Amino acid sequence: MTGSEDSEGKRRWRRPDVKRPDGGGRLTTGKQKVHKKKLGKSSREWVDRQLNDPYVRRAKEQGYRARAAFKLSEIDDRFRLLKKGARVVDLGCAPGGWLQVALERGAGSVIGIDLSPVDPLAPAEIIEGDFTDPVVLADLAARLDQSPDLVLSDMAAPTTGHKQTDHLRTLALAEAAARFAIAHLAPGGTFVSKVFQGGAQGELLEMLKANFARVRHWKPPASRPESPETFVIAVGFHGGNGPTD
Ligand SMILES: C[S@@+](CC[C@H](N)C(=O)[O-])C[C@H]1O[C@@H](n2cnc3c(N)ncnc32)[C@H](O)[C@@H]1O
C-alpha cells in the first residue's frame, strides 16, 4: 500500500480508488459512491475535504500528482523564481507535484528527495531517503554537478496530533533545508520552504536574513486556510558577502 503526507502533513493515499488499510472502504471521486461508515472522525473529514476541494479536482484534471503543485505554481506566478534552465533541488518531493511544475516551467535540471518512493518523472533525478541522514545528504550533495539556483522544501514531519511538537519538527526540517541551501546555492539563488504559523522565526529567520538579500512570507491561495502552513521565500543569495541583486 502506498501513502504519503499531503501538503498539510496529513496522511494521503496516492490511489484514491485503492482500498485503505483502516477498513475505510473505497475512496473514490466522481460519480462513484463513497463508503465512509467505518471511518473514524478525522478520516471522514479527510475524505470530505478531498471530495470537496477544487484544487484536488483541478490536480486530477490537469494530471498533477498532488494538489500541492498549485502552491508552487502560485508562488512562482507571484515571485518568478523558476527561470529557464534553472537547476532545482526539491526537498520532500513525493509524490512529485512540485517536480512536475518545476519541469513544466523550464527547469534545466531537477533533483528531488523524499522518504517515500516517487514514481519516475524523467528527466528529474529522484533519491529515496531521509534528508536529515548525513549519508543521504552526502549522496545528494555529490549529485550536484553545479550549484543549484533554487532550493525548494515542502518537507513536513508526519503529524503527531500535538500541535507544538508538529510545529517544532517541521521547523527543524526547514532549518536543515536552509542550511543545505546556504551551503550549496549559486550566488543570486533562491530558497523556498514550508514553515508553520508565525513563519520563519529565531535562528531560521536570522540565518536567512544574513545570507539572502530579501526574505518574504506568503501563503498561496492553494494552501488550505485552516492549515497552519505558510511559505518563506528568500531571494538573492549572497552567502553573507553582501547582496548580489
Ligand atoms: C507535503 S509533502 C510534499 C508534496 C510535494 N511538494 C508535491 O508537490 O508532491 C511532504 C513530503 O516531505 C517528506 N519528508 C518529510 N520529512 C522528510 C525527510 N526527513 N527527508 C525527506 N523527505 C521528507 C514526506 O515524506 C512527504 O512526502
Side-chain angles (χ1 to χ4, degrees):
M1 176 56 80
T2 58
S4 62
E5 301 297 315
D6 81 357
S7 46
E8 275 79 44
K10 298 278 189 296
R11 199 80 187 150
R12 66 185 288 281
W13 299 97
R14 227 183 290 141
R15 292 272 318 276
D17 54 339
V18 170
K19 195 166 186 349
R20 291 166 52 131
D22 56 6
R26 285 179 191 280
L27 310 179
T28 60
T29 53
K31 286 179 186 155
Q32 284 168 287
K33 205 169 175 192
V34 179
H35 302 293
K36 297 191 292 182
K37 276 189 186 152
K38 291 182 190 163
L39 297 179
K41 184 170 175 276
S42 70
S43 300
R44 263 199 320 273
E45 285 169 359
W46 180 87
V47 172
D48 287 339
R49 261 208 320 272
Q50 290 298 105
L51 296 179
N52 297 323
D53 184 334
Y55 284 102
V56 171
R57 203 169 41 244
R58 277 176 59 197
K60 205 172 171 194
E61 283 164 9
Q62 295 177 30
Y64 287 120
R65 296 178 176 190
R67 73 185 289 294
F70 295 107
K71 297 179 199 174
L72 182 59
S73 306
E74 289 169 353
I75 291 171
D76 186 48
D77 287 345
R78 186 171 171 123
F79 295 96
R80 302 278 166 213
L81 309 173
L82 280 160
K83 309 268 169 26
K84 286 257 172 301
R87 295 179 294 272
V88 179
V89 175
D90 182 7
L91 308 172
C93 65
W98 283 25
L99 295 175
Q100 289 176 294
V101 172
L103 289 172
E104 226 171 67
R105 296 193 173 205
S109 73
V110 183
I111 302 182
I113 180 168
D114 204 287
L115 292 169
S116 302
V118 178
D119 289 339
L121 188 69
E125 209 177 316
I126 294 161
I127 301 171
E128 183 180 336
D130 182 348
F131 171 71
T132 62
D133 176 340
V135 175
V136 175
L137 191 54
D139 176 27
L140 171 61
R143 292 186 196 217
L144 302 173
D145 297 335
Q146 294 179 59
S147 300
D149 303 297
L150 177 59
V151 172
L152 304 169
S153 172
D154 194 19
M155 285 189 289
T159 48
T160 61
H162 186 262
K163 253 187 184 174
Q164 229 172 345
T165 305
D166 295 341
H167 182 117
L168 289 173
R169 291 171 69 191
T170 295
L171 178 66
L173 288 172
E175 284 174 355
R179 279 194 293 274
F180 173 85
I182 289 165
H184 296 284
L185 270 176
T190 301
F191 172 64
V192 175
S193 178
K194 184 206 289 289
V195 286
F196 274 178
Q197 224 145 40
Q201 289 163 333
E203 197 188 321
L204 175 58
L205 190 58
E206 272 174 38
M207 202 176 6
L208 295 177
K209 283 187 167 170
N211 286 282
F212 292 84
R214 284 189 303 284
V215 181
R216 300 276 307 273
H217 285 93
W218 192 57
K219 184 174 173 76
S223 174
R224 292 189 170 104
E226 69 274 20
S227 162
E229 78 173 4
T230 185
F231 290 85
V232 62
I233 298 113
V235 302
F237 176 66
H238 53 68
N241 296 318
T244 57
D245 73 342

